[in-house]
């Protein structure tokens, strides 16, 4: 507080807070936040009872992220198969910003959104979970296996064959479906 005139005989000030549960103020004007809310801090001159105020807004404390852990760290999926789920755990549990950015090292093999891993094609990729607060990262190694295509049928050609006695030969060709 600045008391005017600067050469006044008594420049002493009394500090008060209108809501001591929100913030307190000591004799030197040091304000201490206690809980979320707002209060007025008033400076009153001892000589003349002049006043001026400062509105103090106390906001919620920010709790920083200190780490991340994901589960599982290894995942096996099948091309064209079901989506896999990775769960991210942020520490501490009461961190203010618990948002996580998900990325895949090879989107041609696997894509990821909010911990849901979708297999794209056979191969391997790393899936990363990175905290927006602090940039802490953990990873999962994803293997996408080629889809197993079951046999649906077989055809032989020719369907009939006649061979002459005494060692005559011919070839029968088998075609398994599907072809790939």
């Amino acid at each position: 507080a600045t008391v005017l005139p600067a050469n006044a005989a008594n420049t002493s000030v009394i500090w008060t807070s209108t809501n001591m549960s929100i913030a307190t103020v000591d004799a030197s004007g040091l304000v201490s936040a206690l809980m979320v809310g707002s209060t007025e801090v008033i400076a009153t001159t001892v000589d003349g009872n002049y006043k001026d105020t400062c509105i103090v807004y106390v906001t919620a404390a920010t709790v920083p992220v200190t780490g991340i852990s994901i589960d599982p760290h290894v995942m096996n999926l099948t091309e064209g198969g079901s989506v896999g789920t990775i769960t991210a755990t942020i520490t501490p549990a009461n961190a203010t910003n618990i948002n996580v950015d998900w990325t895949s090292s090879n989107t041609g093999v696997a894509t990821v959104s909010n911990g849901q891993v979708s297999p794209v094609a056979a191969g391997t990729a790393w899936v990363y979970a990175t905290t927006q607060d602090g940039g802490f990262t953990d990873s999962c190694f994803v293997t996408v296996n080629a889809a197993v295509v079951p046999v649906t049928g077989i055809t032989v050609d020719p369907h009939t064959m006649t061979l002459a006695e005494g060692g005559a030969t011919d070839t029968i060709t088998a075609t398994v479906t599907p072809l790939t």
Side-chain angles (χ1 to χ4, degrees), residues 8 31 39 50 53 73 91 102 143 164:
V31 178
T39 186
Y50 291 99
T53 62
H73 284 103
T91 51
W102 294 90
T143 300

Side-chain angles (χ1 to χ4, degrees), residues 6-79:
N7 62 348
N10 185 351
T11 58
S12 298
V13 174
I14 298 171
W15 294 95
T16 56
S17 170
T18 59
N19 191 336
M20 300 280 285
S21 64
I22 302 293
T24 60
V25 60
D26 70 9
S28 66
L30 178 67
V31 178
S32 298
L34 300 176
M35 63 184 285
V36 174
S38 64
T39 186
E40 279 187 321
V41 172
I42 303 168
T44 306
T45 61
V46 172
D47 182 15
N49 202 35
Y50 291 99
K51 297 181 182 200
D52 202 1
T53 62
C54 173
I55 299 174
V56 176
Y57 297 98
V58 179
T59 59
T62 301
V63 178
V65 171
T66 59
I68 186 173
S69 176
I70 64 170
D71 184 48
H73 284 103
V74 175
M75 180 179 285
N76 287 295
L77 300 173
T78 301
E79 181 179 15

